[in-house]
């Protein structure tokens, strides 16, 4: 944006010096083959896109940011093409990769699923959703998920960090109550409403760096801890399975302004924290203004009524299937393609080969679209030459740019979506929902099914308790000293390489980053702290 702004501003200055600003600024390809007015419009769209992407707008005016982001991107690209049709050279590399992502997300948008289990904490400010993933995405590590609830809004997609992914594909997401969307979600869960969910996950997660670290230090702040709780859950699960690789010590420090947020800690992580082997050391810090009181009992993550096919773990409740009398769950008009049968969450791509095919078709389709639209320009030149007329160069050049923008997007999006996403997705939907289907992809709802198991820990005064036991993790008041925590981890373990994983607001992340940089300078050739920012706030 800096280069684009300098490009435009310098031209404005030049036009002003030559006393021809308005004629040049308002020229729509009547003076030059470059469309100056379209270039200015493109720049204005780019400025709006940049300004509304800043934190003050993202955090304070989400809807404005969301809608401006979509409209301004299209305006910026379209008018840039009209300004100079050759700008496709600059757009193509990044634009094609964006098209790959959009094609896969568009395919996932058509699928409908529902809530497998849900919970709301006692203060009603943290919602926990569990979504059952398809067997087609088993073994695929995920980090983020985009969720749309048609009953709340058919246009608002919200990104969330997956805090836990179980071996059977169950995804756990924690949602903090912030605005109208999350408030309406909370009300629907309290009213036991069955909700259609359209969700999209990236095809593959990134590498699990924490599995290769000698020692891991996890620093978290508030509800953003969900990003690193996934790290802890993964390490605890691998250790329970006896996996050879993994850190030999883990230190977890969590600071929260609202103590009830600690209740989202996974029971397996809490249990490992209290294990006598000392492998996982957990420190909780309450930074709120009101002091913790012993009377703050029974603050917990309450399970609500189930609204899907997953029965209780004890086996006392009915499970999905014909023998349980389950009926497929249908949400009319939930899907834009009328795929209204609720199925388990489907992956964007079914494997590396599928992803490679989509990518290749996207680049090929974009090239074909660009080639075909440029052929129109050549055909017009040939036509005027054949009739002996003068080719209206200025008139058709900007139209060529508009046509190129259209052709590139149609080719790059239409070809891979139709051949590699929509048709395979339609076939899988038919196979999953046909009568007599042998797979277990459909979801069903039962009336009155209750999940008695807790989905998290309980808060009892200044202790975070594991339900059903007398074991608890103490909660200290005040803010943690990250530098002291890191130094203690290095001194206690003698490790030469320590992975530091941070999730939280910018103030916490910046403080942790500063501590890491300072210690790396001070310790020199001793312990090296490898900083990783797992998540922040949009």
């Amino acid at each position: 944006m800096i280069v684009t702004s300098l490009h435009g501003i310098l031209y404005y200055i030049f036009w002003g010096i030559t006393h021809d600003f308005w004629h040049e600024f308002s020229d729509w390809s009547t003076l030059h083959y470059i469309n100056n007015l379209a270039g200015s419009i493109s720049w204005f769209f780019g400025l709006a896109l940049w300004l509304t992407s800043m934190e003050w707008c993202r955090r304070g005016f989400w809807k404005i940011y969301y809608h401006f982001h979509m409209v301004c991107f299209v305006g910026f690209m379209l008018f840039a093409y009209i300004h100079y049709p050759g700008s496709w050279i600059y757009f193509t590399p990044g634009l094609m990769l964006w098209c790959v992502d959009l094609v896969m997300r568009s395919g996932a948008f058509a699928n409908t699923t529902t809530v497998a289990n849900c919970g709301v904490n006692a203060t009603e400010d943290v919602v926990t959703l569990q979504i059952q993933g398809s067997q087609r995405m088993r073994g695929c590590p995920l980090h983020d998920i985009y969720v749309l609830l048609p009953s709340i809004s058919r246009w608002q997609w919200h990104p969330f960090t997956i805090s836990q992914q179980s071996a059977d594909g169950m995804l756990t997401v924690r949602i903090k109550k912030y605005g109208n969307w999350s408030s309406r979600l909370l009300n629907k869960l309290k009213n036991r409403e069955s909700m259609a969910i359209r969700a999209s996950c990236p095809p593959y997660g990134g590498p699990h760096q924490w599995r290769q670290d000698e020692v891991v230090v996890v620093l978290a702040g508030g509800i953003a801890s969900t990003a690193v709780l996934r790290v802890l859950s993964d390490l605890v699960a691998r250790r329970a399975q006896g996996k050879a690789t993994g850190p030999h010590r883990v230190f977890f420090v969590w600071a929260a302004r609202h103590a009830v947020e600690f209740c989202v800690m996974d029971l397996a992580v809490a249990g490992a924290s209290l294990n006598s082997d000392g492998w996982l050391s957990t420190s909780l810090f309450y930074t709120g203004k009101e002091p913790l009181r012993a009377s703050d009992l029974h603050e917990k993550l309450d399970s609500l009524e189930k609204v899907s096919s997953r029965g209780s773990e004890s086996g006392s409740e009915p499970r999905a299937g014909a023998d349980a009398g389950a009926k497929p769950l249908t949400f009319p008009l939930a899907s834009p393609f009328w795929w209204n049968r609720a199925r388990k969450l489907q992956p964007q791509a079914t494997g590396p080969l599928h992803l490679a095919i989509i990518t290749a078709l996207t680049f090929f389709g974009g090239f074909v679209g660009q080639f075909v639209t440029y052929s129109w320009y050549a055909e017009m030149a040939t036509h005027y030459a054949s009739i002996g007329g003068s080719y209206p160069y200025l008139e058709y050049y900007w139209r060529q740019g508009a046509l190129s923008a259209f052709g590139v997007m149609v080719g790059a999006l239409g070809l891979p979506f139709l051949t590699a996403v929509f048709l395979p997705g339609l076939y899988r939907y038919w196979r999953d929902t046909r009568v007599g289907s042998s797979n277990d992809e459909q979801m069903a709802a039962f009336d009155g099914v209750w999940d008695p198991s807790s989905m998290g820990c309980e808060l009892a005064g200044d202790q975070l308790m594991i339900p059903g036991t007398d074991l608890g993790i103490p909660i200290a008041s005040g803010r943690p000293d990250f530098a002291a925590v890191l130094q203690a981890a290095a001194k206690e373990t003698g490790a030469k390489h320590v992975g530091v994983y941070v999730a939280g607001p910018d103030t916490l992340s910046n403080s942790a980053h500063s501590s890491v940089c300072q210690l790396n300078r001070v310790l020199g050739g001793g312990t090296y702290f490898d900083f990783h920012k797992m998540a922040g706030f949009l």
Side-chain angles (χ1 to χ4, degrees):
M1 199 61 217
I2 295 176
V3 174
T4 304
S5 298
L6 286 175
H7 171 75
I9 292 173
L10 290 176
Y11 265 102
Y12 290 162
I13 294 174
F14 174 74
W15 294 338
I17 293 174
T18 57
H19 306 288
D20 202 24
F21 177 84
W22 182 249
H23 286 90
E24 293 287 352
F25 175 83
S26 60
D27 176 52
W28 189 269
S29 290
T30 59
L31 302 175
H32 315 285
Y33 71 95
I34 297 296
N35 192 315
N36 292 336
L37 181 56
S40 295
I41 295 174
S42 175
W43 181 52
F44 295 152
F45 273 115
L47 284 178
L49 180 67
W50 171 61
L51 289 173
T52 54
S53 298
M54 291 184 174
E55 183 179 2
W56 63 269
C57 187
R58 293 198 318 269
R59 299 292 305 280
F61 308 95
W62 166 262
K63 287 187 177 181
I64 293 177
Y65 157 74
Y66 182 80
H67 292 103
F68 265 73
H69 206 71
M70 293 188 294
V71 174
C72 291
F73 171 76
V74 175
F76 175 76
M77 188 193 71
L78 174 62
F79 284 96
Y81 264 88
I82 296 175
H83 169 64
Y84 174 52
S87 60
W88 69 272
I89 300 173
Y90 310 102
F91 279 129
T92 298
L95 186 62
M96 291 300 101
L97 294 177
W98 175 78
C99 287
V100 171
D101 178 65
L102 183 58
V103 165
M104 292 191 296
R105 283 191 285 123
S106 299
F109 292 167
N111 297 309
T112 303
T113 185
T114 189
V115 178
N117 200 2
C118 54
V120 180
N121 68 335
T123 56
E124 298 187 353
D125 58 0
V126 177
V127 174
T128 297
L129 295 182
Q130 288 186 327
I131 303 173
Q132 179 63 60
S134 166
Q135 61 182 357
R136 299 185 178 106
M137 60 195 306
R138 298 283 171 84
C140 172
L142 301 172
H143 186 268
D144 301 308
I145 184 172
Y146 285 77
V147 175
L148 181 144
L149 303 179
S151 59
I152 297 179
S153 172
R154 299 188 69 87
W155 301 102
Q156 291 188 32
W157 289 88
H158 291 265
F160 298 102
T161 300
I162 297 172
S163 61
Q164 185 181 5
Q165 181 181 6
S166 64
D168 63 351
M170 184 68 72
L171 309 179
T172 302
V173 179
R174 317 286 189 182
I175 302 174
K176 182 75 176 287
K177 180 181 176 182
Y178 271 123
N180 181 60
W181 188 89
S182 54
S183 298
R184 294 179 64 182
L185 169 62
L186 175 63
N187 291 333
K188 288 182 177 294
L189 293 179
K190 290 169 61 179
N191 294 332
R192 308 291 200 269
E193 294 186 28
S194 296
M195 288 188 300
I197 294 178
R198 287 161 53 195
S200 175
C201 293
Y204 296 99
H208 290 167
Q209 176 63 37
W210 54 84
R211 295 179 180 176
Q212 280 72 48
D213 290 325
E214 186 180 355
V215 172
V216 167
V217 176
V218 176
L219 308 176
I223 196 62
S225 61
T226 53
V228 289
L229 284 176
R230 169 178 167 269
V231 175
L232 295 172
S233 298
D234 177 70
L235 292 175
V236 170
R238 288 178 60 83
R239 194 165 189 267
Q241 297 168 5
K243 297 293 180 66
T245 59
H248 63 263
R249 281 297 304 275
V250 178
F251 298 85
F252 179 35
V253 178
W254 186 0
R257 192 188 319 174
H258 306 285
V260 71
E261 292 176 356
F262 295 134
C263 297
V264 304
M265 182 182 293
D266 180 64
L267 295 179
V269 174
S273 302
L274 298 172
N275 200 306
S276 59
D277 62 5
W279 174 76
L280 174 60
S281 301
T282 299
S283 301
L284 306 179
F285 290 86
Y286 170 66
T287 61
K289 296 181 180 179
E290 297 294 330
L292 289 173
R293 301 183 302 273
S295 59
D296 293 335
L297 299 175
H298 308 301
E299 294 276 5
K300 63 181 181 178
L301 196 68
D302 296 324
S303 285
L304 299 182
E305 185 177 359
K306 284 191 169 185
V307 292
S308 80
S309 60
R310 191 169 183 263
S312 69
E313 296 298 331
S314 63
S316 60
E317 306 290 353
R319 294 179 179 268
D323 57 341
K327 295 182 178 179
L329 190 59
T330 302
F331 295 98
L333 304 180
S335 168
F337 297 151
W338 300 282
W339 299 354
N340 299 323
R341 288 281 185 89
R343 294 183 297 162
K344 297 176 182 178
L345 181 63
Q346 302 295 310
Q348 286 186 354
T350 56
L353 179 60
H354 188 203
L355 178 60
I357 291 173
I358 294 174
T359 303
L361 288 175
T362 299
F363 276 82
F364 177 74
F367 171 78
V368 171
Q370 186 71 46
F371 178 80
V372 170
T373 53
Y374 259 84
S375 298
W376 170 83
Y377 187 75
E379 287 295 327
M380 291 301 297
T382 303
H383 167 70
Y384 277 94
S386 65
I387 62 176
S390 176
Y391 183 54
Y393 185 73
L394 299 181
E395 179 183 350
Y396 282 99
Y397 196 66
W398 72 266
R399 297 181 183 181
Q400 167 62 40
L403 188 62
S404 294
F406 178 77
V408 167
M409 298 308 295
V410 169
L413 296 176
L415 178 64
F417 178 77
L418 180 63
T419 58
V421 174
F422 177 76
L423 292 179
L426 180 62
Y427 169 72
R428 288 197 298 268
Y429 179 79
W430 170 80
R431 189 178 62 182
D432 294 342
T433 59
R434 64 179 177 174
V435 177
S437 175
S438 59
N439 63 24
D440 191 29
E441 290 296 315
Q442 290 194 79
M443 301 187 72
F446 296 94
D447 293 331
V449 178
W450 183 267
D451 181 14
S453 63
S454 174
M455 295 169 61
C457 298
E458 299 179 1
L459 181 65
D462 60 353
Q463 294 278 324
L464 185 67
M465 309 297 296
I466 298 179
T469 72
D470 295 329
L471 302 176
I473 303 173
I475 303 174
S477 296
R479 299 184 180 277
D481 185 343
F482 293 141
V485 171
L486 296 173
Q487 285 181 313
K491 182 178 180 181
E492 184 175 339
T493 61
K496 297 297 183 181
H497 186 280
V498 176
V500 181
Y501 298 86
V502 180
D506 287 339
T507 52
L508 182 143
S509 298
N510 293 338
S511 176
H513 195 195
S514 298
S515 298
V516 167
C517 293
Q518 181 181 3
L519 289 175
N520 283 337
R521 287 196 300 267
V522 171
L523 297 180
T527 303
Y528 175 74
F529 296 94
D530 193 1
F531 181 86
H532 302 270
K533 185 176 181 180
M534 300 296 293
F537 288 99
L538 285 178

